[in-house]
């Protein structure tokens, strides 16, 4: 397998000029696209239509180039919210399996899976955890990876809007439903990777017992889908990819040592190596404190705390890598420890 | 002169428990207070009443301890906005001139000045620049400093509310008036310190020609005053203070090298030395770009860009010093280069 | 008993110029003040410090005029949020019992009560319902009213901030805790007035079963107190007051027929009679629909729905009475039917 | 000419299910569509992508049904912002000229025009005023109307984003540029209709001298176009339409008498007649006062005043017509008197 990774700036949710240029130059063959991760400039919360706008625009463009069958297999993960310095962009993952002549080495491999649609009363429940876990296992198998070789699992998951409240099992607050959906999806990853055992997990743990978490899960909720779309990334021993991935866990929002650990885990930079993109999760520490000092994010009724968390973690990481065009997604329930989150780095 | 510096956490704009404890213990003599800089948890924009609430609470508490005459000389600078990780707190500066027996050394010195009230049609104009410049000169003289020894000039300045629009010369937008007031005040500092020459400055330069700036000015607008209150900080060769101040200039919001330069300028940390507080200005780069990538802060109609700028610069600096209880104030017009801003560090 | 009502415009949360003028003119004797209801211009949500600022300023001013003992009995209800056309103001209620020589008539009477402080784990529970019910009964008795003669019961109640999450029984979301506190307080009114029977009420009903409600309760949560402060208003048959109160129930946010019913219930206007103030509760219809059409308030992650609800109901009522200086408070859980709320009118 | 008007609810910016149902039933022939006015649920300010998403979705759907040539002539006016009770929807205008056998009567007629693109330095200037005026004249002619018979002129106009600041003549504030673009477009209408004379208009009047205005202009700025799209509506004496339009001018945000005047002007309701839709403009009174009382919209740095203005005027009008699915657009510079705005009603 040969995986390539393209980071493309966007001037708006519907800006495909960068992608189209790569396609026209022959640098990127659209038929090989398997996943697109985007940071779009909406609020990243319930009424964020930039995610749907971006996906609709991409699908409209790609349909003619790929055909419906291939297109339907692509994983689209649009994460809303480019607060602070974060710069809107997309990361396109391509995969080729045939005609590969380059010598193999340890390098990037990926697998994807689309779960079935979830009913509103399943969102945020153990059923969701289990269905996601099964999907992650299938994606790992598709990638030809072992659980140990997985460095990042990105999932796009649904939420509950006001129009569907009456069927909801977990919450009747749409913003809150995003947290439950993210949390259950992340526990699904933890289950699939053996980070959490099924017997240790009860319904009451979801979005409450944050000692249970995955170190590689990154989950993002959106109004624009009803199922989960899963992307698994890891290093395979015999890959044709030039890219490598590594990861670490940020213990808190300002844990910049973890950024350097993740870069090191990916093989380091300098001597020809450079960072393609950083992928991280952010949340306002639920304790209301950070490094022993009070923060005000959770009591702010003007700006949702996920927005501020992205601004903070985005700035901290961007300051280390001196690049604000990175992927930082908000709400890290069961993704890393409380107040922290996983961070992955792809280098080339 | 002996200057002491106390950084005190607050659980709300009206929380004086930390200050009261220091007073009760005899650690802090209220009669020696000359300036209080606070970060309060409002929006830092026009309708931020946390600044006024904090000042009113402080004055009510201190009046009985200091008497009206001393109290009226205290400089109160409340900077609203603790977005992201920034932790609400106040920094109290005290000054003693008598009974000092410790040996002298190079150390912190300060001077203050209250300008006259400004009429609404003077805010943001050359008249304001000149009146502030004169006030800064007086504060420098009061500190016993030379212009070269000044590391930080903090000014609290007024703004124009809707109720006073009709008299305004510069703008009828209250949020925008904050920028003009900050900009004119900063140019006043630049004039006083010789960073800008009076002959090179025209009315049209204010909030337009950002090549003109001060490297040590930090100005903050608020609805709660009509004059400017000025605090000058520097190192005097023969001081009784244990504290030292240093500064640098951040070239952009993620310029964390400048944080280390400022620490070094103050004498460094480690070997017994430690940071008391960091003082910095933040703004969204007016070019709409940062390190070559687009940011979305200026086109965000949901969250004012000064709020996001504080979150970003606060997180970047806090990540370096691993302390979120720092003073980062928004809107750095003519305070450092466009998109950047001055940063000062006090160590002990 | 003689009750007087003064509606006083404010230019900010700490503006007492209007009140001070009435006191200086001898029109309002500060020693007779029993309750002050204010609309302040904060966000009306968790981090709204305008309520506390207003109360602190009032207490500072009144302490010297009333003495601590009388001051401690005054009910202060500051309701944050003057979204849209709502104009910041306070309504001061005075009561005199001695030296009354005017002939009596059916007119305004009032009673107040301060409950004990609530622990964090009591907020939003049946315990809170019962303690409030008992307080309302005492306030009715103090007013010399029967339950049937009560037209409005205003309560200020506490909320749960992030700093106190760990003790909370109901929710760990501070904005949500405001709803539970308002809801439990309103059910306390319903219990006291016989609108709901204790045997029909379970813990699960609170903020879920909105068929249970009071037609005269108006409850408002704030960070600035830990107990409930209760004000009961009604008409007594033998009053010395020139004022009369009436009420109705808005079935939905645009039910302006109810405004006219409430005015009529108070005795009507015209022929010398005029409206002093209108008191109403507002909420975004929890069904996500209004008059058969979708509204977007509940899915808006940029602006809290209580803010929009105040703007809507404030505009609808103000359009009828052609006066935007009215009291509209957000969040009407168990106060009137779902999506609607009580409305009271005082005329003179 | 036969004009029909369809008001269609939407569950999101990309919801075309209602429109598609009408097309499938044969009720609405897509080839006859000339204009679509939508209220979408974004913030209605600079970073509102719901407008562009709605237009892109509509174009994608209609292209196959109409063909490119017809599609390019359709006027799309998406007005962002459904604050408060406003319910997202679109109003589709169709026009037929052939095969009309019904008897004629006074009824609705319309004309459209697309101006040329504006360069960034023309937005908000006299050049824009003049180009728009010429476009309005052409649309009136196309409608077969006289200036006196025009009741409503809707224009969608461009704005200046941060990316284009350097070329801007008027302002470097993107939110503010919306006001200038709306104001210049409205003055273009006033010029075309003779409400303002060219000789009485200078560049300095734009967004300053609000005594100059049009009584029928409704202009709305958006990031999704660079030209102006104009829709003129009036009553023609010999029309085949069943619809009639009328208008009035709201003197202020709570002027509900004007709503009734506009309904009356359209021929009234009852006796078989019913309202199809109401079209109105809203703004926060720039004086900072309404009916003699202070409002806080202009000093609110958390919520843009255009958002609150829509919530207020939307609620006031919806309360009168007991229908929240109406078209209220924010920012009424030179559209009606300061603080007020035009209101038009279509009845059938």
């Amino acid at each position: 397998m040969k995986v390539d990774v393209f980071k493309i700036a966007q001037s708006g949710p519907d800006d495909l000029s960068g992608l189209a240029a790569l396609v026209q130059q022959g640098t990127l063959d659209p038929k090989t696209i398997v996943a697109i991760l985007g940071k779009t400039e909406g609020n990243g919360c319930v009424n964020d239509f930039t995610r749907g706008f971006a996906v609709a625009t991409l699908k409209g463009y790609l349909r003619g180039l790929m055909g419906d069958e291939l297109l339907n297999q692509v994983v689209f993960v649009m994460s809303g919210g480019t607060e602070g310095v974060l710069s809107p962009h997309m990361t396109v993952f391509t995969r080729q399996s045939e005609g590969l002549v380059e010598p193999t080495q340890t390098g990037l491999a990926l697998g994807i899976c689309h779960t079935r649609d979830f009913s509103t009363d399943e969102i945020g429940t153990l059923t969701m955890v289990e269905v996601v876990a099964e999907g992650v296992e299938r994606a790992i198998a598709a990638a030809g990876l072992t659980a140990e070789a997985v460095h990042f699992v990105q999932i796009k998951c649904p939420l509950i809007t006001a129009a569907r409240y009456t069927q909801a099992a977990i919450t009747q607050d749409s913003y809150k439903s995003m947290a439950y959906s993210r949390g259950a999806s992340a526990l699904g990853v933890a289950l699939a990777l053996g980070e959490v055992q099924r017997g240790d997990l009860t319904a009451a743990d979801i979005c409450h017992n944050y000692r249970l978490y995955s170190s590689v899960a990154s989950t993002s909720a959106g109004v624009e889908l009803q199922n989960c779309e899963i992307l698994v990334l890891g290093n395979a021993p015999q890959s044709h990819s030039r890219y490598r991935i590594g990861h670490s866990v940020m213990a808190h929002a300002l844990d910049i040592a973890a950024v350097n650990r993740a870069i090191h885990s990916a093989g380091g930079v300098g001597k020809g190596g450079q960072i393609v993109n950083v992928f991280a999760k952010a949340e306002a520490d639920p304790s209301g404190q950070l490094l022993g000092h009070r923060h005000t994010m959770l009591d702010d009724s003007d700006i949702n705390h996920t927005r501020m968390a992205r601004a903070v973690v985005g700035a901290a990481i961007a300051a280390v890598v001196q690049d604000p065009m990175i992927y930082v997604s908000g709400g890290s329930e069961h993704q890393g420890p409380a107040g922290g989150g996983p961070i992955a780095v792809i280098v080339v």
Side-chain angles (χ1 to χ4, degrees), chain A:
Chain A
M1 187 191 308
K2 177 165 183 272
V3 172
D4 282 307
V5 187
F6 301 87
K7 185 164 82 169
I8 305 169
Q10 289 184 283
S11 67
D14 58 338
D15 174 27
L16 301 184
S17 59
L19 175 59
L22 291 175
V23 170
Q24 281 161 22
Q25 295 159 13
T27 310
L28 190 162
D29 175 1
K31 286 189 194 301
T32 64
I33 295 175
V34 286
I36 301 182
L37 266 65
K39 282 302 308 177
T40 63
E41 57 203 279
N43 63 24
C45 302
V46 180
N47 61 329
D48 181 351
F49 297 99
T50 62
R51 298 175 303 226
F53 191 13
V55 170
T57 308
L58 278 165
K59 286 187 174 173
Y61 171 73
L62 292 174
R63 181 162 287 116
L65 299 171
M66 300 180 73
D68 276 340
E69 195 182 329
L70 281 178
L71 180 61
N72 289 340
Q73 295 168 33
V74 175
V75 168
F76 292 95
V77 180
M78 296 298 138
S79 163
T82 56
E83 292 84 0
V85 298
L86 294 171
S87 192
H89 71 283
M90 66 174 107
T91 306
V92 180
F93 292 87
T94 61
R95 181 179 52 189
Q96 289 170 270
S97 305
E98 297 171 9
L100 301 173
V101 294
E102 299 96 333
T104 63
Q105 58 191 321
T106 299
L108 192 59
L110 65 77
I112 62 171
C113 179
H114 302 248
T115 72
R116 65 169 173 81
D117 281 5
F118 292 98
S119 63
T120 298
D121 68 349
E122 290 176 332
I123 292 175
T125 67
L126 282 176
T127 301
M128 190 181 202
V129 173
E130 290 168 348
V131 172
V132 168
E134 191 189 356
V136 172
E137 286 166 10
R138 278 189 280 149
I140 294 173
L145 290 168
T146 59
E148 293 72 33
V150 172
H151 284 276
F152 198 61
V153 180
Q154 176 65 48
I155 298 179
K156 188 77 198 182
C157 55
L159 59 85
I160 303 170
T161 58
R164 307 184 200 129
Y165 277 178
T166 45
Q167 291 90 44
I170 290 296
T171 178
Q172 300 203 334
D173 177 326
S174 46
Y175 178 65
K176 197 107 192 179
S177 79
M178 302 178 78
Y180 277 99
S181 185
R182 288 188 300 253
S185 299
L187 287 170
V189 177
L191 220 58
L193 294 178
E195 297 173 293
V196 169
Q197 303 305 316
R198 181 62 187 85
D200 295 340
L201 185 65
T202 68
D205 288 323
I206 301 171
C207 286
H208 285 284
N209 179 2
Y210 290 123
R211 290 186 305 273
L212 304 178
Y213 63 82
S214 167
S215 291
V216 297
S218 166
T219 63
S220 174
V223 76
E224 65 277 11
L225 79 177
Q226 278 298 305
N227 69 334
C228 281
E229 309 208 345
I230 301 167
L231 169 67
V232 165
L233 295 170
N235 294 320
Q238 296 199 328
S239 167
H240 289 84
S241 305
R242 298 179 302 134
Y243 301 84
R244 285 178 61 102
I245 188 168
H247 84 278
S248 184
V249 175
M250 294 177 77
H252 56 78
L254 299 176
D255 182 10
I256 52 178
V259 184
N260 289 314
R261 284 197 305 270
I263 295 169
H264 183 76
S265 155
V269 288
K271 56 194 158 70
Q274 64 183 40
I275 294 170
V276 177
N277 210 346
V278 182
F279 304 86
K281 289 296 300 191
E283 78 175 358
D285 197 303
S287 73
Q289 295 225 328
L290 177 65
L291 293 173
H293 294 296
R294 179 170 76 101
H295 67 77
T296 60
M297 291 185 268
L298 296 174
D299 285 344
D300 189 334
S301 301
D302 297 311
I303 304 177
N304 268 311
H305 54 80
T306 46
R307 304 204 70 179
M308 274 299 161
R310 280 189 293 269
V312 164
V313 174
I317 298 174
V320 173
V321 301
Q322 289 289 300
D323 181 357
M325 195 178 278
I326 55 178
Y327 179 97
V328 176
S329 163
S332 64
E333 302 82 2
H334 302 294
Q335 303 149 67
I343 176 169
V345 177
I346 295 178
V347 300
V348 66

